[in-house]
Amino acid sequence: TTSILLGVFTFALTWVADREGFQKILLTLFAFGLINLAYQLSLVPYNWSLPLIASDHSQIQRITGLGEGWGQFGSVIGVVTGALLLRLPVVARSSSPGMTLLQLMAAIYLVGFGVAYFYIARGLATVENDVDCDTVPVGETVRQYFRDNMKTLKEYPRLKRFFIAFVIYADVILTVQLNLPNYLRERILLGEDEVRIAYGVSLLCAGIGAWSFARWFSHFDLAKVIVVSLCLWAGVFVGLGLGPHGVVFWSVMAIAGVLFGVLWSASRGYLYKLADVAHLGRSFGLYSVFERCASVIGPIIWGFVGLISFSTRAKYLTLFNLFGALLLVGAIIVRGSESCPED
């Protein structure tokens, strides 16, 4: 349902485009807020349903890598679809190509999410038929949700320590991902088409990284996989801070994509290792909450450094070194979680 609302709210943006001045700004922010809310809400049941649909819980670590891989490939398909739609005569000749493209993409998403909804609903029907569900008032459900989450964090100190580390490194990586277009234009001096290609390369490599994790690394010590990935990420940030060009730049972007796929897949798999089987759904719901709480401290640091009168080179070198240091802090916390008392 929330996925279908994504397409509906995207259509609202095309209506907002006809407004003027402050009203346009306010309505645009409101529409984006609704889109983001629907997206975040759709992720919680997505993560929560994983333990339900996996017949063999020992395969969850592998399945989550495959899911992450498909998600990254889906992003590549979205980028390619948008680029192809821009070439359509109806878009190219439009007085507002951006709005026309948005309308087409919204229609595609609405139909696609609708198909996915009925497909997933049919798949979960057999599971839900085997589960006794009592009708509980919404208010009590929300209160119980927060009570259960706090209880879970208190009872599982290793899980809590991992979530702290996860917020740190997710904050850093998602902040860089958010501001990457500006970096590519200002520091690497790429054009708009090259920026899109750079994103496409990274997304494609992220899918490859997630699938590689599912194929070869899902049975490794996942804490070590996360720590090694974070250390490699710190090295990637140092490389980006130096402003690489040519083959070196494209190699760094490809490596960053692979590391993203491996790290996100390993994080979900490690969560399965730490969480009690009886509370897997609750733990994956918490994972979604902590992931969505990221990108808070990172944007503040990014904005603060940006306000200081640095040269472009010094600004990005400072930012990426600071973020690399935060990733190492996250790696230390993850490593330290292994020495915590057993939950």
Side-chain angles (χ1 to χ4, degrees), residues 34-167:
L34 291 176
I35 291 171
N36 191 44
L37 176 63
Y39 174 67
Q40 311 305 347
L41 288 174
S42 69
L43 289 179
V44 174
Y46 170 81
N47 286 320
W48 180 85
S49 64
L50 178 59
L52 295 177
I53 63 177
S55 57
D56 183 358
H57 282 182
S58 66
Q59 295 296 313
I60 284 182
Q61 293 170 326
R62 184 182 67 85
I63 294 172
T64 191
L66 292 174
E68 182 68 31
W70 278 114
Q72 298 301 330
F73 287 133
S75 299
V76 175
I77 293 173
V79 172
V80 173
T81 301
L84 293 176
L85 289 175
L86 278 173
R87 299 177 180 273
L88 291 178
V90 66
V91 177
R93 298 171 184 172
S94 172
S95 58
S96 179
M99 285 297 101
T100 303
L101 175 63
L102 189 61
Q103 291 172 337
L104 290 174
M105 293 295 288
I108 292 173
Y109 288 153
L110 187 57
V111 174
F113 287 141
V115 172
Y117 172 80
F118 290 111
Y119 180 77
I120 293 173
R122 187 179 65 178
L124 289 177
T126 55
V127 176
E128 293 174 346
N129 288 337
D130 296 333
V131 178
D132 294 328
C133 298
D134 297 326
T135 302
V136 181
V138 174
E140 177 59 29
T141 300
V142 173
R143 288 190 292 271
Q144 187 63 42
Y145 171 78
F146 284 104
R147 286 196 293 265
D148 289 345
N149 285 341
M150 293 303 298
K151 182 179 179 182
T152 298
L153 292 176
K154 289 180 180 179
E155 292 180 350
Y156 301 96
R158 293 175 66 186
L159 184 64
K160 179 172 68 175
R161 193 179 181 97
F162 165 68
F163 278 141
I164 293 172
F166 178 69
V167 165

Side-chain angles (χ1 to χ4, degrees), residues 111-274:
V111 174
F113 287 141
V115 172
Y117 172 80
F118 290 111
Y119 180 77
I120 293 173
R122 187 179 65 178
L124 289 177
T126 55
V127 176
E128 293 174 346
N129 288 337
D130 296 333
V131 178
D132 294 328
C133 298
D134 297 326
T135 302
V136 181
V138 174
E140 177 59 29
T141 300
V142 173
R143 288 190 292 271
Q144 187 63 42
Y145 171 78
F146 284 104
R147 286 196 293 265
D148 289 345
N149 285 341
M150 293 303 298
K151 182 179 179 182
T152 298
L153 292 176
K154 289 180 180 179
E155 292 180 350
Y156 301 96
R158 293 175 66 186
L159 184 64
K160 179 172 68 175
R161 193 179 181 97
F162 165 68
F163 278 141
I164 293 172
F166 178 69
V167 165
I168 293 174
Y169 66 75
D171 194 324
V172 168
I173 293 174
L174 293 178
T175 297
V176 172
Q177 188 181 59
L178 180 67
N179 292 278
L180 191 60
N182 291 333
Y183 162 78
L184 295 177
R185 297 186 194 100
E186 294 178 3
R187 184 70 180 94
I188 310 301
L189 303 179
L190 297 185
E192 291 298 327
D193 290 338
E194 292 173 310
V195 170
R196 296 189 188 98
I197 293 173
Y199 259 96
V201 168
S202 287
L203 290 172
L204 181 62
C205 290
I208 294 173
W211 276 19
S212 298
F213 170 84
R215 179 66 177 84
W216 292 297
F217 303 120
S218 59
H219 299 296
F220 281 39
D221 183 334
L222 296 185
K224 291 182 179 178
V225 173
I226 293 173
V227 169
V228 171
S229 298
L230 290 174
C231 291
L232 292 175
W233 261 113
V236 166
F237 280 2
V238 171
L240 290 174
L242 293 173
H245 291 84
V247 176
V248 176
F249 166 74
W250 292 105
S251 299
V252 170
M253 291 298 293
I255 293 171
V258 171
L259 289 176
F260 184 88
V262 171
L263 180 60
W264 248 243
S265 300
S267 297
R268 290 164 60 89
Y270 189 53
L271 173 62
Y272 166 74
K273 174 187 175 183
L274 296 180

Side-chain angles (χ1 to χ4, degrees), residues 316-329:
Y316 285 113
L317 191 59
T318 301
L319 281 169
F320 282 114
N321 282 331
L322 284 173
F323 284 165
L326 286 174
L327 290 180
L328 294 179
V329 170

